[in-house]
Amino acid sequence: MKKILYFLMAALMVLSAISCKKEKEPLSLSLSANEFEMSVGEMRQLYPYFSSGDATNREVQWSSDNPEAISVSESGLITALKEGKAIVKASCGNAVASCNVSAVIPVQELWFQYGDLKISMNPGDILTTAVRFTPTNATDRNNFLLWNSNPEVATMETNVDGSPYKIIIEAKKVGLTTLTAECGGKQANLFVYVEEVQVSNVTLNPDNANLTIGNTTQLTATVTPTYASVTEVSWASSNPDVATVENGLVTARRAGTATITACCGEKSATCAVKVMLPDRAVDLGLSVLWSSANLGAATYSEPGFYVAWGELSAKSTYSWETYTLRKSGDNDKNITFTRYNKADGKTKFSEYDYADDIARRTFGGQWRVPSYAEFTELISNCKAEWTDDTHRYMKFTSMVPGYEDRSVYFYADGGFKFDNPGDNPTKRGGYYWTCARYKSDEIHVPLLWISYHNYHGEDRTSISLSGSLPRYAGCLIRPVWWYN
């Protein structure tokens, strides 16, 4: 009986021991890393972790499915032998854990084709470079990064010709930018300095010009090199009274000489300009040039054409009936006009673009019939004297400083053409139209009157702008060239 009791107790102890042993076995197994990358030649320790801290069965078996590339020791020490990938497993009883391990060839050195140094470029320059690695078979080059600190100074184009390491740099403006390449923990810099390009030369075409007053010519400035940092040209005239210049366009203003200068940077070029008077023009130093003879006359000794005010040709009969700008009526009380009347409000030829100005239509350019103010300027700034005892030609000599040797002669013996009964068509004197009628009078136009006559036994010379004549009268024209 006692033997049976001892046997049962021993059996219970064995069953109890077996039950306790099963409860202390680990329920699961994990590793200190699930995935990582190693450099060839590198060693790294993996550590197992059990779900039960007091488990008695802690014996772990290690294995690699690619031991030629990545090996693992009995203690979990992993060695990267060559480039490749492997799954490293740890097992303990029924518990298994794994880690994906990659072995790569690391980048040892990284640099730009031109080295970690400064390169200088000028705006517009284009440079091709590349990023280089050692060793050349490094496997982590795919993690290559590249950035530009200041793309306004220079831009970079990557993936040129399908290569992620080839770069085209284009300089944009003066300044500094840094290109930085990074891969495998290595970094390289390329400092790009975009510097000013100095102008080496400026030329002008043409480099000399002869112009008539009122004419223009375009100068073309060529800056060398064309990619200079500053290519804007500034223009200047040594004598703006003679010739002005704007963006290379030279305008002849007055007879004389001027030097046109084009500047860019520290360089410049010049064009010698000579401005000549128009044919038949005389410069008295006044606001306009005066013609040397009347309209229709070859010299000042001829009267030239007699024309009605606003008409474009001479004719045989001068009356209201023959006046081309008449609308209706036949005398000063009932006459109406097609132009320069109260209805249109026009008083001078310029208001119809000189369509009725015979001087402009005959000579072109800036020639026109003079104004009342221009006749006044002539009289006020010139000394008037008869050329001889015949009193046929009045000489006006400039009193403007520098122009005292200049004169114009006015024919003063032709009278005017006026065919109304009772008027004298051969009255002596010179009668010259102005370019504008009176503002309050449609019929009459002020004029210059030059004459020599006897007044109550006394010889007198008259140079007057106080008189006027009806528009249909035939008077002389002394053209002027207007500086516009």
Side-chain angles (χ1 to χ4, degrees):
M1 188 65 175
K2 289 182 178 180
K3 290 181 178 181
I4 293 172
L5 182 60
Y6 286 130
F7 176 78
L8 291 173
M9 291 178 64
L12 287 171
M13 292 177 65
V14 171
L15 290 173
S16 177
I18 293 173
S19 175
C20 290
K21 182 177 181 180
K22 287 182 179 180
E23 291 175 359
K24 293 181 180 180
E25 287 183 353
L27 298 178
S28 62
L29 176 64
S30 61
L31 298 176
S32 55
N34 295 323
E35 182 178 11
F36 58 84
E37 186 178 86
M38 302 174 65
S39 299
V40 173
E42 183 183 354
M43 300 176 67
R44 183 167 177 174
Q45 180 67 51
L46 268 181
Y47 296 97
Y49 294 98
F50 301 96
S51 62
S52 176
D54 59 351
T56 56
N57 181 12
R58 292 177 180 270
E59 185 176 351
V60 176
Q61 303 296 321
W62 297 90
S63 65
S64 169
D65 67 351
N66 187 6
E68 293 182 356
I70 299 170
S71 65
V72 61
S73 69
E74 294 179 354
S75 62
L77 181 63
I78 298 174
T79 303
L81 302 175
K82 67 176 184 179
E83 180 188 359
K85 295 182 179 182
I87 299 175
V88 175
K89 290 184 178 181
S91 59
C92 180
N94 294 327
V96 178
S98 63
C99 178
N100 296 319
V101 181
S102 299
V104 298
I105 301 174
V107 172
Q108 300 296 328
E109 188 177 3
L110 175 68
W111 73 97
F112 282 89
Q113 182 177 331
Y114 295 99
D116 285 359
L117 45 80
K118 159 189 169 181
I119 62 169
S120 296
M121 302 177 69
N122 301 129
D125 285 354
I126 296 177
L127 176 71
T128 301
T129 185
V131 176
R132 305 300 187 192
F133 303 85
T134 57
T136 56
N137 62 340
T139 55
D140 60 356
R141 290 189 302 169
N142 293 332
N143 298 322
F144 172 69
L145 298 174
L146 181 68
W147 62 89
N148 181 0
S149 68
N150 194 348
E152 291 186 356
V153 171
T155 60
M156 63 179 187
E157 180 184 352
T158 58
N159 293 315
V160 177
D161 299 331
S163 170
Y165 314 113
K166 190 173 181 181
I167 307 161
I168 295 179
I169 304 169
E170 182 175 359
K172 293 296 186 180
K173 70 175 186 178
V174 175
L176 167 66
T177 188
T178 303
L179 306 186
T180 302
E182 184 175 314
C183 187
K186 306 295 182 181
Q187 194 175 83
N189 294 317
L190 181 63
F191 302 101
V192 180
Y193 288 84
V194 180
E195 301 175 333
E196 289 188 355
V197 180
Q198 300 300 323
V199 175
S200 62
N201 194 30
V202 177
T203 58
L204 273 181
N205 183 32
D207 57 9
N208 65 84
N210 294 328
L211 298 174
T212 301
I213 291 176
N215 288 349
T216 63
T217 187
Q218 180 68 51
L219 303 184
T220 302
T222 301
V223 177
T224 306
T226 57
Y227 52 84
S229 298
V230 178
T231 57
E232 183 177 354
V233 175
S234 60
W235 300 87
S237 171
S238 66
N239 194 346
D241 289 338
V242 170
T244 58
V245 60
E246 184 174 357
N247 296 325
L249 182 66
V250 179
T251 302
R253 298 294 184 185
R254 199 170 204 117
T257 59
T259 299
I260 304 300
T261 303
C263 293
C264 185
E266 300 297 322
K267 303 297 180 179
S268 63
T270 60
C271 174
V273 175
K274 180 179 180 181
V275 178
M276 299 169 290
L277 294 174
D279 290 343
R280 75 185 61 88
V282 178
D283 190 354
L284 299 173
L286 305 177
S287 63
V288 292
L289 303 174
W290 285 87
S291 173
S292 59
N294 289 348
L295 184 71
T299 68
Y300 71 85
S301 62
E302 303 171 10
F305 296 148
Y306 288 85
V307 294
W309 190 85
E311 294 190 342
L312 300 179
S313 62
K315 57 188 180 182
S316 59
T317 303
Y318 295 85
S319 65
W320 284 130
E321 287 77 7
T322 63
Y323 186 54
T324 59
L325 297 182
R326 179 181 69 98
K327 183 178 181 180
S328 63
D330 56 7
N331 60 63
D332 291 359
K333 295 182 179 180
N334 63 12
I335 196 77
T336 61
F337 303 100
T338 58
R339 289 152 84 97
Y340 309 102
N341 51 38
K342 293 179 181 179
D344 64 16
K346 310 298 185 185
T347 61
K348 51 183 180 281
F349 294 144
S350 61
E351 295 178 287
Y352 277 112
D353 196 25
Y354 301 100
D356 308 301
D357 190 312
I358 189 172
R360 174 66 58 88
R361 295 303 160 188
T362 302
F363 292 151
Q366 295 300 117
W367 289 106
R368 61 171 175 77
V369 175
S371 68
Y372 186 98
E374 287 155 359
F375 272 127
T376 301
E377 181 187 40
L378 176 73
I379 297 170
S380 301
N381 291 276
C382 292
K383 180 176 68 174
E385 56 186 340
W386 296 107
T387 60
D388 54 37
D389 293 338
T390 65
H391 304 108
R392 299 185 68 190
Y393 314 112
M394 176 63 73
K395 179 182 179 182
F396 289 91
T397 302
S398 177
M399 295 186 296
V400 177
Y403 296 86
E404 294 93 341
D405 60 340
R406 319 284 177 84
S407 301
V408 290
Y409 300 81
F410 277 70
Y411 191 86
D413 196 33
F416 56 86
K417 304 296 183 181
F418 202 65
D419 291 345
N420 279 359
D423 290 320
N424 179 9
T426 60
K427 185 175 182 180
R428 294 193 65 184
Y431 293 81
Y432 291 84
W433 282 129
T434 60
C435 65
R437 67 170 177 85
Y438 290 114
K439 288 185 178 181
S440 59
D441 184 349
E442 291 182 295
I443 297 175
H444 297 89
V445 176
L447 44 73
L448 172 68
W449 174 44
I450 305 170
S451 71
Y452 180 84
H453 55 279
N454 186 281
Y455 182 77
H456 297 296
E458 180 182 354
D459 291 339
R460 288 187 177 183
T461 295
S462 295
I463 304 174
S464 174
L465 280 164
S466 60
S468 64
L469 285 174
R471 289 159 58 167
Y472 71 83
C475 292
L476 303 176
I477 301 290
R478 177 55 67 93
V480 293
W481 179 283
W482 175 50
Y483 294 107
N484 61 347

